Amino acid sequence: MDIRVATPEDWPSIFPFWSAIVEAGETYAYPLGASSEEARALWMEQPPGLTVVAVDGDEVLGSAKMGPNRPGRGAHIATGSFMVGPAAQGRGVGRALGAYVLDRARKEGYHGIQFNAVVESNAAAVHLWKSLGFEVMTTIPEAFDSASHGRVGLHVMYQKL
């Protein structure tokens, strides 16, 4: 598996799993029914942000986007978002993307990295981020309307770099 900068040509491979994950209603608060163009605008970051893909040959396994959490005086804290295609789950793709984003944030001189909205019922993601050194700083109760669990909390997770 390699991780590289996403190109416009990667979007047709990203959108099917992006859409499936969003439509499942368990992990992201993106709008349901987003068109490919609407989703592209939400996922394919412009500088200073960056979107990458994890690939096995020509197959896109997952994607991550990263950049400053806030503009201006908040730009010293990074953020990231991650999606792994359902067929590639359990193969270490999320961990590899997470390690890549952490390494890049360190190299770019960020002071820390903050995830603003990790769904508390997404046990696999919470476990992964904790194993990579993140802490749950707070949980906003009932901030996410999970398709299967109803209203659940959103964790704000942080790691000082």
Side-chain angles (χ1 to χ4, degrees), residues 35-126:
S35 71
S36 177
E37 289 308 308
E38 291 166 331
R40 181 194 311 251
L42 293 167
W43 194 257
M44 299 296 280
E45 289 288 323
Q46 298 300 312
L50 177 70
T51 301
V52 298
V53 288
V55 296
D56 183 1
D58 292 333
E59 182 185 8
V60 176
L61 306 173
S63 182
K65 65 178 197 157
M66 66 207 79
N69 188 52
R70 304 294 306 154
R73 298 188 65 79
H76 60 287
I77 302 296
T79 193
S81 295
F82 306 82
M83 288 194 182
V84 175
Q89 290 178 0
R91 294 173 49 186
V93 176
R95 179 171 293 281
L97 286 166
Y100 179 93
V101 168
L102 283 166
D103 184 56
R104 187 169 181 98
R106 284 185 184 98
K107 287 178 180 172
E108 291 183 0
Y110 285 98
H111 179 74
I113 184 166
Q114 176 179 325
F115 296 159
N116 302 308
V118 180
V119 178
E120 73 177 340
S121 58
N122 186 355
V126 173

Side-chain angles (χ1 to χ4, degrees), residues 136-159:
V136 174
M137 304 307 291
T138 194
T139 302
I140 311 305
E142 300 180 344
F144 183 80
D145 190 9
S146 163
S148 64
H149 301 288
R151 292 184 180 154
V152 297
L154 285 177
H155 294 319
V156 176
M157 299 184 79
Y158 178 76
Q159 181 178 152

